[in-house]
């Protein structure tokens, strides 16, 4: 069956990638080996794209004990940790591309660290505008389709505790349009929660401004 073949492909892919992943986790905090780390991050990006393109992993496939999901989550966490938060160069570009692929594979791979992913995307809008904007747009689109726009907004609020941080994501016209569409199509019961969310955020920002 298709799923059986996919499981074999996944097993081959995971065994092939494990040595590289082990090296990646060792190199994350080693400044003197950043060139090698970049090569590994690019390899991870390319192979994750193959996993997506050839349906090697799908959330609908059987996954006893969620072993496949756990490995992919471990990879995603490692990718996020591989960024230093200082600047946005080739390393961050590879990570952003991989995170976008991970999001398309299964949104649960980034769900638990969505605030950190949004922060990285916004931080790279100036230096890596195309890949950063694509990631942010796909996050907004995914959570609109899941009817979990409020979770996306809460992640933004966690990421940016002041209005200053919001300016970067609000500069992405297509992301703002996607959010506008989400508000128009969300279940009626969520509109009140979204209104209360923005009301509370405005109060928080104004209170902080008064304290400063």
């Amino acid at each position: 069956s298709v799923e059986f073949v996919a499981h074999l492909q996944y097993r081959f892919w995971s065994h092939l990638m494990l040595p590289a992943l082990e090296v990646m986790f060792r190199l994350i905090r080693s400044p003197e080996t950043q060139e090698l780390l970049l090569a590994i991050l690019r390899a991870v990006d390319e192979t994750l794209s193959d996993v997506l393109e050839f349906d090697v992993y799908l959330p609908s496939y059987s996954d006893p004990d969620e072993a496949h999901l756990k490995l992919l989550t471990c990879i995603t966490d490692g990718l996020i940790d591989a960024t230093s938060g200082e600047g946005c160069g080739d390393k961050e570009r590879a990570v952003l591309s991989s995170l976008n692929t991970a999001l398309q594979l299964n949104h649960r791979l980034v769900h638990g660290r969505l605030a950190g992913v949004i922060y990285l995307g916004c931080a790279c809008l100036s230096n890596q505008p195309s890949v950063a904007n694509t990631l942010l747009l796909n996050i907004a689109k995914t959570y609109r389709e899941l009817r979990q726009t409020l979770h996306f907004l809460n992640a933004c609020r966690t990421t940016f505790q002041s209005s200053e941080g919001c300016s970067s994501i609000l500069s992405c016209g297509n992301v703002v349009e996607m959010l506008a569409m989400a508000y128009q199509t969300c279940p009626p019961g969520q509109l009140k929660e979204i209104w209360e969310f923005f009301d509370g955020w405005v109060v928080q920002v104004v209170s902080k401004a008064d304290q400063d």
Side-chain angles (χ1 to χ4, degrees), residues 139-150 152-153 174-188 190-191 194 198:
I139 291 173
K141 179 175 181 290
T142 297
Y143 281 85
R144 176 183 70 83
E145 294 172 345
L146 292 169
R147 298 196 167 188
Q148 294 185 27
T149 299
L150 191 58
F152 171 78
L153 293 173
N174 52 4
V175 176
V176 173
E177 289 175 8
M178 185 63 65
L179 287 174
M181 189 183 302
Y183 306 146
Q184 295 168 13
T185 58
C186 73
Q190 291 185 11
L191 286 175
I194 292 174
F198 280 113

mmCIF file of all heavy atoms in Angstrom, residues 139-150 152-153 174-188 190-191 194 198:
data_model
loop_
_atom_site.group_PDB
_atom_site.id
_atom_site.type_symbol
_atom_site.label_atom_id
_atom_site.label_comp_id
_atom_site.label_asym_id
_atom_site.label_seq_id
_atom_site.Cartn_x
_atom_site.Cartn_y
_atom_site.Cartn_z
ATOM 1 N N ILE A 139 1.836 30.499 8.391
ATOM 2 C CA ILE A 139 1.366 30.303 9.768
ATOM 3 C C ILE A 139 -0.026 30.897 9.920
ATOM 4 O O ILE A 139 -0.948 30.249 10.439
ATOM 5 C CB ILE A 139 2.333 30.956 10.781
ATOM 6 C CG1 ILE A 139 3.662 30.202 10.813
ATOM 7 C CG2 ILE A 139 1.713 30.970 12.177
ATOM 8 C CD1 ILE A 139 4.721 30.870 11.662
ATOM 9 N N ALA A 140 -0.203 32.134 9.465
ATOM 10 C CA ALA A 140 -1.514 32.789 9.558
ATOM 11 C C ALA A 140 -2.570 32.008 8.786
ATOM 12 O O ALA A 140 -3.704 31.821 9.262
ATOM 13 C CB ALA A 140 -1.419 34.222 9.038
ATOM 14 N N LYS A 141 -2.203 31.521 7.607
ATOM 15 C CA LYS A 141 -3.141 30.748 6.770
ATOM 16 C C LYS A 141 -3.514 29.432 7.440
ATOM 17 O O LYS A 141 -4.688 29.046 7.472
ATOM 18 C CB LYS A 141 -2.500 30.479 5.407
ATOM 19 C CG LYS A 141 -3.351 29.655 4.445
ATOM 20 C CD LYS A 141 -2.657 29.552 3.096
ATOM 21 C CE LYS A 141 -3.486 28.754 2.097
ATOM 22 N NZ LYS A 141 -3.555 27.325 2.427
ATOM 23 N N THR A 142 -2.513 28.743 7.992
ATOM 24 C CA THR A 142 -2.765 27.454 8.645
ATOM 25 C C THR A 142 -3.706 27.608 9.827
ATOM 26 O O THR A 142 -4.670 26.839 9.975
ATOM 27 C CB THR A 142 -1.435 26.834 9.121
ATOM 28 O OG1 THR A 142 -0.607 26.572 7.976
ATOM 29 C CG2 THR A 142 -1.676 25.529 9.878
ATOM 30 N N TYR A 143 -3.452 28.607 10.665
ATOM 31 C CA TYR A 143 -4.289 28.769 11.858
ATOM 32 C C TYR A 143 -5.665 29.347 11.520
ATOM 33 O O TYR A 143 -6.617 29.136 12.272
ATOM 34 C CB TYR A 143 -3.552 29.593 12.913
ATOM 35 C CG TYR A 143 -2.556 28.727 13.645
ATOM 36 C CD1 TYR A 143 -1.275 28.503 13.132
ATOM 37 C CD2 TYR A 143 -2.918 28.052 14.803
ATOM 38 C CE1 TYR A 143 -0.384 27.660 13.767
ATOM 39 C CE2 TYR A 143 -2.038 27.210 15.452
ATOM 40 C CZ TYR A 143 -0.771 27.016 14.929
ATOM 41 O OH TYR A 143 0.096 26.159 15.550
ATOM 42 N N ARG A 144 -5.775 30.030 10.384
ATOM 43 C CA ARG A 144 -7.108 30.426 9.909
ATOM 44 C C ARG A 144 -7.899 29.194 9.500
ATOM 45 O O ARG A 144 -9.068 29.036 9.877
ATOM 46 C CB ARG A 144 -6.997 31.392 8.725
ATOM 47 C CG ARG A 144 -8.375 31.768 8.130
ATOM 48 C CD ARG A 144 -8.233 32.666 6.912
ATOM 49 N NE ARG A 144 -7.679 31.965 5.766
ATOM 50 C CZ ARG A 144 -8.398 31.218 4.929
ATOM 51 N NH1 ARG A 144 -9.699 31.050 5.114
ATOM 52 N NH2 ARG A 144 -7.819 30.642 3.891
ATOM 53 N N GLU A 145 -7.255 28.302 8.738
ATOM 54 C CA GLU A 145 -7.935 27.086 8.285
ATOM 55 C C GLU A 145 -8.291 26.171 9.451
ATOM 56 O O GLU A 145 -9.307 25.467 9.416
ATOM 57 C CB GLU A 145 -7.054 26.354 7.269
ATOM 58 C CG GLU A 145 -6.867 27.133 5.964
ATOM 59 C CD GLU A 145 -5.854 26.495 5.039
ATOM 60 O OE1 GLU A 145 -5.094 25.612 5.510
ATOM 61 O OE2 GLU A 145 -5.815 26.877 3.851
ATOM 62 N N LEU A 146 -7.449 26.175 10.478
ATOM 63 C CA LEU A 146 -7.729 25.365 11.667
ATOM 64 C C LEU A 146 -8.745 26.033 12.594
ATOM 65 O O LEU A 146 -9.170 25.437 13.589
ATOM 66 C CB LEU A 146 -6.436 25.125 12.452
ATOM 67 C CG LEU A 146 -5.380 24.233 11.793
ATOM 68 C CD1 LEU A 146 -4.072 24.303 12.565
ATOM 69 C CD2 LEU A 146 -5.874 22.790 11.713
ATOM 70 N N ARG A 147 -9.108 27.279 12.257
ATOM 71 C CA ARG A 147 -9.995 28.082 13.102
ATOM 72 C C ARG A 147 -9.396 28.257 14.500
ATOM 73 O O ARG A 147 -10.097 28.188 15.505
ATOM 74 C CB ARG A 147 -11.396 27.461 13.167
ATOM 75 C CG ARG A 147 -12.073 27.406 11.804
ATOM 76 C CD ARG A 147 -13.549 27.174 11.896
ATOM 77 N NE ARG A 147 -14.190 27.437 10.602
ATOM 78 C CZ ARG A 147 -15.517 27.463 10.406
ATOM 79 N NH1 ARG A 147 -16.322 27.277 11.434
ATOM 80 N NH2 ARG A 147 -16.016 27.703 9.228
ATOM 81 N N GLN A 148 -8.093 28.477 14.510
ATOM 82 C CA GLN A 148 -7.375 28.730 15.751
ATOM 83 C C GLN A 148 -6.627 30.067 15.668
ATOM 84 O O GLN A 148 -5.499 30.200 16.117
ATOM 85 C CB GLN A 148 -6.389 27.593 16.046
ATOM 86 C CG GLN A 148 -7.053 26.260 16.346
ATOM 87 C CD GLN A 148 -6.053 25.201 16.751
ATOM 88 O OE1 GLN A 148 -4.989 25.494 17.279
ATOM 89 N NE2 GLN A 148 -6.385 23.955 16.495
ATOM 90 N N THR A 149 -7.280 31.047 15.055
ATOM 91 C CA THR A 149 -6.657 32.359 14.900
ATOM 92 C C THR A 149 -6.272 32.954 16.248
ATOM 93 O O THR A 149 -5.242 33.627 16.372
ATOM 94 C CB THR A 149 -7.614 33.313 14.156
ATOM 95 O OG1 THR A 149 -7.887 32.770 12.853
ATOM 96 C CG2 THR A 149 -7.001 34.693 13.996
ATOM 97 N N LEU A 150 -7.078 32.695 17.253
ATOM 98 C CA LEU A 150 -6.781 33.249 18.582
ATOM 99 C C LEU A 150 -5.468 32.698 19.129
ATOM 100 O O LEU A 150 -4.723 33.414 19.807
ATOM 101 C CB LEU A 150 -7.925 32.949 19.552
ATOM 102 C CG LEU A 150 -7.872 33.685 20.899
ATOM 103 C CD1 LEU A 150 -7.861 35.190 20.702
ATOM 104 C CD2 LEU A 150 -9.047 33.274 21.781
ATOM 105 N N PHE A 152 -2.900 31.883 17.313
ATOM 106 C CA PHE A 152 -1.880 32.635 16.575
ATOM 107 C C PHE A 152 -1.689 34.017 17.197
ATOM 108 O O PHE A 152 -0.564 34.476 17.409
ATOM 109 C CB PHE A 152 -2.287 32.755 15.109
ATOM 110 C CG PHE A 152 -1.431 33.688 14.302
ATOM 111 C CD1 PHE A 152 -0.177 33.286 13.854
ATOM 112 C CD2 PHE A 152 -1.855 34.968 13.990
ATOM 113 C CE1 PHE A 152 0.632 34.141 13.117
ATOM 114 C CE2 PHE A 152 -1.068 35.834 13.253
ATOM 115 C CZ PHE A 152 0.181 35.413 12.811
ATOM 116 N N LEU A 153 -2.793 34.689 17.517
ATOM 117 C CA LEU A 153 -2.716 36.024 18.112
ATOM 118 C C LEU A 153 -2.070 35.983 19.489
ATOM 119 O O LEU A 153 -1.272 36.858 19.838
ATOM 120 C CB LEU A 153 -4.118 36.635 18.211
ATOM 121 C CG LEU A 153 -4.803 36.955 16.875
ATOM 122 C CD1 LEU A 153 -6.236 37.389 17.108
ATOM 123 C CD2 LEU A 153 -4.035 38.021 16.097
ATOM 124 N N ASN A 174 0.244 40.880 3.098
ATOM 125 C CA ASN A 174 -0.479 39.629 2.835
ATOM 126 C C ASN A 174 -0.840 38.906 4.129
ATOM 127 O O ASN A 174 -1.873 38.232 4.209
ATOM 128 C CB ASN A 174 0.323 38.714 1.909
ATOM 129 C CG ASN A 174 1.749 38.491 2.380
ATOM 130 O OD1 ASN A 174 2.147 38.966 3.453
ATOM 131 N ND2 ASN A 174 2.532 37.768 1.601
ATOM 132 N N VAL A 175 -0.016 39.051 5.167
ATOM 133 C CA VAL A 175 -0.340 38.443 6.460
ATOM 134 C C VAL A 175 -1.536 39.145 7.081
ATOM 135 O O VAL A 175 -2.449 38.505 7.615
ATOM 136 C CB VAL A 175 0.874 38.498 7.414
ATOM 137 C CG1 VAL A 175 0.501 37.946 8.787
ATOM 138 C CG2 VAL A 175 2.052 37.711 6.839
ATOM 139 N N VAL A 176 -1.548 40.467 7.000
ATOM 140 C CA VAL A 176 -2.672 41.248 7.544
ATOM 141 C C VAL A 176 -3.962 40.888 6.801
ATOM 142 O O VAL A 176 -5.029 40.733 7.411
ATOM 143 C CB VAL A 176 -2.387 42.756 7.437
ATOM 144 C CG1 VAL A 176 -3.611 43.564 7.847
ATOM 145 C CG2 VAL A 176 -1.194 43.137 8.314
ATOM 146 N N GLU A 177 -3.874 40.728 5.472
ATOM 147 C CA GLU A 177 -5.052 40.345 4.688
ATOM 148 C C GLU A 177 -5.549 38.960 5.089
ATOM 149 O O GLU A 177 -6.763 38.715 5.164
ATOM 150 C CB GLU A 177 -4.714 40.366 3.196
ATOM 151 C CG GLU A 177 -4.522 41.760 2.619
ATOM 152 C CD GLU A 177 -4.078 41.727 1.168
ATOM 153 O OE1 GLU A 177 -4.063 40.621 0.576
ATOM 154 O OE2 GLU A 177 -3.749 42.798 0.623
ATOM 155 N N MET A 178 -4.615 38.051 5.359
ATOM 156 C CA MET A 178 -4.995 36.704 5.783
ATOM 157 C C MET A 178 -5.704 36.752 7.129
ATOM 158 O O MET A 178 -6.698 36.036 7.359
ATOM 159 C CB MET A 178 -3.750 35.817 5.867
ATOM 160 C CG MET A 178 -4.046 34.350 6.191
ATOM 161 S SD MET A 178 -5.031 33.519 4.921
ATOM 162 C CE MET A 178 -3.879 33.558 3.535
ATOM 163 N N LEU A 179 -5.221 37.592 8.039
ATOM 164 C CA LEU A 179 -5.865 37.731 9.346
ATOM 165 C C LEU A 179 -7.257 38.351 9.204
ATOM 166 O O LEU A 179 -8.198 37.937 9.885
ATOM 167 C CB LEU A 179 -4.995 38.589 10.267
ATOM 168 C CG LEU A 179 -3.723 37.920 10.793
ATOM 169 C CD1 LEU A 179 -2.882 38.919 11.570
ATOM 170 C CD2 LEU A 179 -4.066 36.729 11.680
ATOM 171 N N ALA A 180 -7.382 39.338 8.298
ATOM 172 C CA ALA A 180 -8.692 39.949 8.063
ATOM 173 C C ALA A 180 -9.683 38.906 7.561
ATOM 174 O O ALA A 180 -10.843 38.864 7.984
ATOM 175 C CB ALA A 180 -8.562 41.099 7.066
ATOM 176 N N MET A 181 -9.209 38.027 6.682
ATOM 177 C CA MET A 181 -10.053 36.953 6.179
ATOM 178 C C MET A 181 -10.431 35.992 7.302
ATOM 179 O O MET A 181 -11.557 35.483 7.371
ATOM 180 C CB MET A 181 -9.327 36.199 5.060
ATOM 181 C CG MET A 181 -10.193 35.195 4.307
ATOM 182 S SD MET A 181 -9.249 34.284 3.059
ATOM 183 C CE MET A 181 -8.641 35.639 2.048
ATOM 184 N N ALA A 182 -9.472 35.767 8.216
ATOM 185 C CA ALA A 182 -9.733 34.866 9.346
ATOM 186 C C ALA A 182 -10.827 35.429 10.246
ATOM 187 O O ALA A 182 -11.697 34.695 10.719
ATOM 188 C CB ALA A 182 -8.451 34.653 10.144
ATOM 189 N N TYR A 183 -10.783 36.738 10.481
ATOM 190 C CA TYR A 183 -11.816 37.359 11.323
ATOM 191 C C TYR A 183 -13.194 37.246 10.675
ATOM 192 O O TYR A 183 -14.200 37.042 11.352
ATOM 193 C CB TYR A 183 -11.498 38.839 11.583
ATOM 194 C CG TYR A 183 -10.132 39.106 12.166
ATOM 195 C CD1 TYR A 183 -9.421 40.257 11.834
ATOM 196 C CD2 TYR A 183 -9.542 38.195 13.049
ATOM 197 C CE1 TYR A 183 -8.161 40.502 12.366
ATOM 198 C CE2 TYR A 183 -8.284 38.433 13.574
ATOM 199 C CZ TYR A 183 -7.588 39.581 13.225
ATOM 200 O OH TYR A 183 -6.348 39.816 13.750
ATOM 201 N N GLN A 184 -13.227 37.353 9.347
ATOM 202 C CA GLN A 184 -14.501 37.319 8.623
ATOM 203 C C GLN A 184 -15.107 35.914 8.587
ATOM 204 O O GLN A 184 -16.333 35.771 8.501
ATOM 205 C CB GLN A 184 -14.309 37.831 7.191
ATOM 206 C CG GLN A 184 -13.915 39.294 7.097
ATOM 207 C CD GLN A 184 -13.458 39.683 5.698
ATOM 208 O OE1 GLN A 184 -13.649 38.937 4.738
ATOM 209 N NE2 GLN A 184 -12.844 40.853 5.576
ATOM 210 N N THR A 185 -14.249 34.898 8.632
ATOM 211 C CA THR A 185 -14.736 33.524 8.454
ATOM 212 C C THR A 185 -14.695 32.693 9.729
ATOM 213 O O THR A 185 -15.090 31.528 9.701
ATOM 214 C CB THR A 185 -13.897 32.807 7.374
ATOM 215 O OG1 THR A 185 -12.506 32.811 7.764
ATOM 216 C CG2 THR A 185 -14.034 33.510 6.026
ATOM 217 N N CYS A 186 -14.229 33.255 10.827
ATOM 218 C CA CYS A 186 -14.135 32.472 12.059
ATOM 219 C C CYS A 186 -15.532 32.229 12.633
ATOM 220 O O CYS A 186 -16.463 33.004 12.367
ATOM 221 C CB CYS A 186 -13.238 33.160 13.079
ATOM 222 S SG CYS A 186 -13.965 34.631 13.841
ATOM 223 N N PRO A 187 -15.716 31.186 13.420
ATOM 224 C CA PRO A 187 -17.019 30.925 14.046
ATOM 225 C C PRO A 187 -17.463 32.134 14.870
ATOM 226 O O PRO A 187 -16.631 32.784 15.514
ATOM 227 C CB PRO A 187 -16.735 29.714 14.943
ATOM 228 C CG PRO A 187 -15.553 29.046 14.312
ATOM 229 C CD PRO A 187 -14.726 30.168 13.750
ATOM 230 N N PRO A 188 -18.760 32.458 14.850
ATOM 231 C CA PRO A 188 -19.256 33.644 15.575
ATOM 232 C C PRO A 188 -18.829 33.674 17.033
ATOM 233 O O PRO A 188 -18.549 34.743 17.578
ATOM 234 C CB PRO A 188 -20.785 33.516 15.431
ATOM 235 C CG PRO A 188 -20.982 32.737 14.180
ATOM 236 C CD PRO A 188 -19.837 31.766 14.123
ATOM 237 N N GLN A 190 -16.121 32.916 18.336
ATOM 238 C CA GLN A 190 -14.737 33.330 18.539
ATOM 239 C C GLN A 190 -14.550 34.845 18.421
ATOM 240 O O GLN A 190 -13.540 35.385 18.867
ATOM 241 C CB GLN A 190 -13.820 32.618 17.543
ATOM 242 C CG GLN A 190 -13.676 31.133 17.790
ATOM 243 C CD GLN A 190 -12.661 30.495 16.857
ATOM 244 O OE1 GLN A 190 -11.905 31.170 16.160
ATOM 245 N NE2 GLN A 190 -12.638 29.168 16.831
ATOM 246 N N LEU A 191 -15.515 35.521 17.781
ATOM 247 C CA LEU A 191 -15.363 36.958 17.572
ATOM 248 C C LEU A 191 -15.271 37.704 18.902
ATOM 249 O O LEU A 191 -14.468 38.623 19.058
ATOM 250 C CB LEU A 191 -16.538 37.498 16.748
ATOM 251 C CG LEU A 191 -16.522 37.137 15.261
ATOM 252 C CD1 LEU A 191 -17.797 37.613 14.586
ATOM 253 C CD2 LEU A 191 -15.297 37.743 14.569
ATOM 254 N N ILE A 194 -11.821 37.167 20.339
ATOM 255 C CA ILE A 194 -10.815 37.961 19.622
ATOM 256 C C ILE A 194 -10.926 39.430 20.009
ATOM 257 O O ILE A 194 -9.911 40.112 20.206
ATOM 258 C CB ILE A 194 -10.970 37.770 18.100
ATOM 259 C CG1 ILE A 194 -10.579 36.332 17.717
ATOM 260 C CG2 ILE A 194 -10.117 38.775 17.331
ATOM 261 C CD1 ILE A 194 -10.826 35.989 16.258
ATOM 262 N N PHE A 198 -7.884 41.698 21.821
ATOM 263 C CA PHE A 198 -7.329 42.983 21.407
ATOM 264 C C PHE A 198 -7.575 44.063 22.455
ATOM 265 O O PHE A 198 -6.717 44.918 22.688
ATOM 266 C CB PHE A 198 -7.914 43.407 20.059
ATOM 267 C CG PHE A 198 -7.274 42.725 18.884
ATOM 268 C CD1 PHE A 198 -7.982 41.837 18.099
ATOM 269 C CD2 PHE A 198 -5.946 42.960 18.572
ATOM 270 C CE1 PHE A 198 -7.388 41.197 17.023
ATOM 271 C CE2 PHE A 198 -5.329 42.323 17.496
ATOM 272 C CZ PHE A 198 -6.063 41.430 16.720
#
